[in-house]
Amino acid sequence: MHTTPAQIILASQSPRRKALLEQVGIDFTVHVADVDESVLPNERADLYIERVAKQKAQVIADIYPDSIIIAADTTVCLGQDIFAKPLDFADACRMWQAMSDTQHQVKTCIVLQQGDQQYHQIITTQVTFKKLNHHEMQKYWETGEPQDKAGGYAIQGRAAAWVKHIQGSYSNVVGLPLFETLQLLEKFQATS
């Protein structure tokens, strides 16, 4: 007897995650999970992204228990400091100055869930910025690109010019580590 493959749902409104899945030929639909993405007091980056990604997956799995849900949460951090989406230009400058001429981490927790079965993985990519000056930061802010990005930058956009070195998954920095996502997806498809 041949079974129909489970529908795949991306629990994200991120156009970058959508484009990455399309890039590798995944057939999916989008259903946005509305969860509070606030960082809890003294919450470490790994625990924060795991909590939020698991909440996103669970919200959509409760609605579509037979579908395979892909959820993710990405953050930028330097040491214990979590750099979320910038509140304004001053907040973006604070983050960029901290990341200037140094290495920071981009962390994504990906969660795949079908019913009660859930797999998750945290991927970390090391990114090193060149030394930034105020003029560069001002020009970049004025493009509008940084406003809705963790850490206030898009590696696939104009901020690519700031990146001296990357160690790890490029797609992770964009918002979804493709290799690891596909590996987790294979676990579900092997059991269905």
Side-chain angles (χ1 to χ4, degrees):
M1 184 170 125
H2 181 69
T3 59
T4 306
Q7 176 189 24
I8 298 171
I9 299 175
L10 174 63
S12 174
Q13 63 186 358
S14 166
R16 296 163 294 282
R17 290 189 181 122
K18 185 175 180 285
L20 285 166
L21 285 178
E22 288 169 346
Q23 176 185 322
V24 293
I26 300 294
D27 185 24
F28 66 98
T29 60
V30 173
H31 192 111
V32 179
D34 185 22
V35 300
D36 181 2
E37 295 186 32
S38 303
V39 181
L40 300 176
N42 302 314
E43 191 171 29
R44 290 191 355 255
D46 285 6
L47 295 176
Y48 163 64
I49 58 174
E50 182 178 334
R51 175 179 59 81
V52 172
K54 284 181 173 181
Q55 284 177 356
K56 290 176 183 178
Q58 190 62 57
V59 164
I60 305 305
D62 287 346
I63 301 168
Y64 302 101
D66 296 330
S67 297
I68 297 172
I69 313 304
I70 299 175
D73 195 60
T74 301
T75 196
V76 175
C77 54
L78 183 61
Q80 294 303 313
D81 294 330
I82 296 173
F83 295 154
K85 297 171 185 175
L87 303 172
D88 52 28
F89 177 59
D91 191 36
C93 283
R94 174 189 63 82
M95 293 187 278
W96 297 334
Q97 286 166 345
M99 293 185 282
S100 176
D101 202 27
T102 192
Q103 185 179 78
H104 62 272
Q105 293 76 43
V106 178
K107 294 176 175 278
T108 300
C109 180
I110 48 172
V111 177
L112 273 76
Q113 182 167 341
Q114 185 176 29
D116 293 332
Q117 186 178 18
Q118 183 186 86
Y119 298 108
H120 80 279
Q121 187 173 354
I122 294 175
I123 292 80
T124 302
T125 303
Q126 308 290 337
V127 180
T128 305
F129 273 1
K130 70 176 193 160
K131 187 165 181 61
L132 303 174
N133 63 52
H134 185 78
H135 177 70
E136 289 170 311
M137 293 187 276
Q138 179 73 45
K139 281 186 68 172
Y140 185 47
W141 181 259
E142 289 170 359
T143 68
E145 190 176 271
Q147 278 82 340
D148 69 337
K149 314 286 190 305
Y153 77 93
I155 195 169
Q156 74 280 14
R158 294 183 184 199
W162 293 2
V163 178
K164 282 172 47 176
H165 181 73
I166 179 172
Q167 181 181 350
S169 169
Y170 172 82
S171 62
N172 177 46
V173 184
V174 178
L176 188 69
L178 286 175
F179 176 80
E180 293 83 359
T181 300
L182 296 175
Q183 294 291 305
L184 292 180
L185 191 54
E186 280 181 17
K187 287 185 177 184
F188 278 106
Q189 293 170 336
T191 58
S192 60

